[in-house]
């Protein structure tokens, strides 16, 4: 079954003429995210988005209002899932949750596509306050999760260390975007972690 077919779910109960199809909004946001991730916000056209999501222009506007509004909702959706996944890493990492989270954030094997949210902060935050707000909130939440793992009893006291680890992981994303090999990124990450932890 295609992603479009997955998204669209016909409402068979009481669906009258002109009534829009119901669809899986979370799935639609995931599809939109992939379009934005591949093309960037500016280059992603309305045609790109409606075609990928299987929506007419009228359904698109009726559901999301605008490309900008869709983008913001998709970005918030991405942030929620990313933070949920990071917390899961912290909860299941065993003896070194901080190291596991830094590795997960940096993701040396992740290729040159980079992190969706960091890409968007770089591209749009300087002139889009809502994107900047989502970005700040996301980064602060990462620091909170790290701080609680560093010092569960006094996370606020560990906030500076958490910020350093988060900055380290996010900084390596620039190496990924530049196309450095995974082995090089992993070595850089290991060296930087040893410096931060001293």
């Amino acid at each position: 079954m295609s992603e479009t077919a997955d998204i669209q779910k016909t409402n068979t109960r009481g669906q009258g003429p002109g009534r829009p199809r119901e669809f899986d909004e979370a799935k639609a946001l995931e599809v939109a995210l992939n379009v934005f991730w591949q093309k960037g916000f500016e280059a992603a056209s309305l045609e790109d988005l409606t075609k990928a999501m299987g929506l007419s222009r009228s359904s698109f506007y009726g559901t999301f209002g605008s490309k900008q509004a869709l983008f913001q909702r998709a970005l918030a959706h991405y942030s929620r899932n990313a933070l949920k996944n990071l917390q899961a890493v912290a909860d299941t990492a065993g003896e070194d949750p901080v190291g596991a989270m830094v590795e997960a954030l940096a993701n040396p094997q992740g290729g040159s596509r980079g992190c969706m949210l960091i890409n968007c902060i770089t591209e749009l935050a300087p002139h889009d306050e809502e994107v900047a707000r989502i970005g700040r909130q996301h980064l602060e939440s990462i620091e909170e999760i790290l701080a609680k793992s560093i010092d569960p009893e006094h996370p606020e006291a560990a906030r500076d260390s958490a910020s350093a680890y988060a900055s380290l992981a996010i900084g390596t994303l620039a190496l990924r975007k530049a196309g450095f090999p995974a082995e090089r990124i992993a070595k850089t990450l290991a060296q930087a972690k040893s410096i931060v932890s001293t």
Side-chain angles (χ1 to χ4, degrees):
M1 183 177 288
S2 69
E3 284 187 323
T4 297
D6 253 352
I7 292 169
Q8 295 179 330
K9 297 179 179 179
T10 304
N11 180 7
T12 57
R13 293 188 300 171
Q15 182 173 359
R19 185 185 178 108
R21 280 181 166 183
E22 292 183 351
F23 65 98
D24 185 334
E25 182 172 324
K27 185 68 175 178
L29 292 175
E30 290 287 344
V31 172
L33 266 172
N34 280 325
V35 174
F36 286 127
W37 207 338
Q38 291 168 8
K39 294 179 175 287
F41 175 77
E42 296 295 344
S45 68
L46 185 59
E47 182 179 359
D48 292 329
L49 291 163
T50 54
K51 182 178 180 180
M53 298 166 75
L55 297 175
S56 67
R57 285 187 175 233
S58 60
S59 293
F60 177 90
Y61 285 122
T63 303
F64 298 106
S66 68
K67 173 182 160 181
Q68 179 80 4
L70 168 64
F71 178 74
Q72 291 170 355
R73 284 168 68 175
L75 198 59
H77 173 77
Y78 176 90
S79 175
R80 285 193 297 272
N81 284 340
L83 292 172
K84 180 179 178 181
N85 291 339
L86 185 65
Q87 185 64 63
V89 170
D91 292 342
T92 59
E95 295 183 359
D96 186 18
V98 174
M101 282 188 283
V102 170
E103 190 75 21
L105 289 166
N107 190 15
Q109 302 288 339
S112 62
R113 198 161 69 149
C115 167
M116 172 67 178
L117 206 143
I118 299 303
N119 292 351
C120 293
I121 292 173
T122 303
E123 180 186 2
L124 298 172
H127 50 269
D128 188 322
E129 179 51 38
E130 180 60 14
V131 170
R133 185 194 67 77
I134 293 171
R136 286 194 302 271
Q137 189 174 59
H138 183 79
L139 296 175
E140 287 171 357
S141 296
I142 288 174
E143 289 182 4
E144 288 174 6
I145 296 170
L146 283 164
K148 288 177 182 177
S149 292
I150 294 169
D151 189 343
E153 298 297 324
H154 307 96
E156 282 305 313
R159 196 59 182 262
D160 287 344
S161 294
S163 180
Y165 279 112
S167 298
L168 160 62
I170 291 165
T172 60
L173 296 176
L175 300 179
R176 278 177 50 192
K177 290 284 287 182
F180 280 83
E183 295 78 10
R184 167 79 178 275
I185 297 172
K187 288 180 180 178
T188 301
L189 185 64
Q191 179 65 25
K193 281 164 59 178
S194 69
I195 294 171
V196 171
S197 62
T198 57

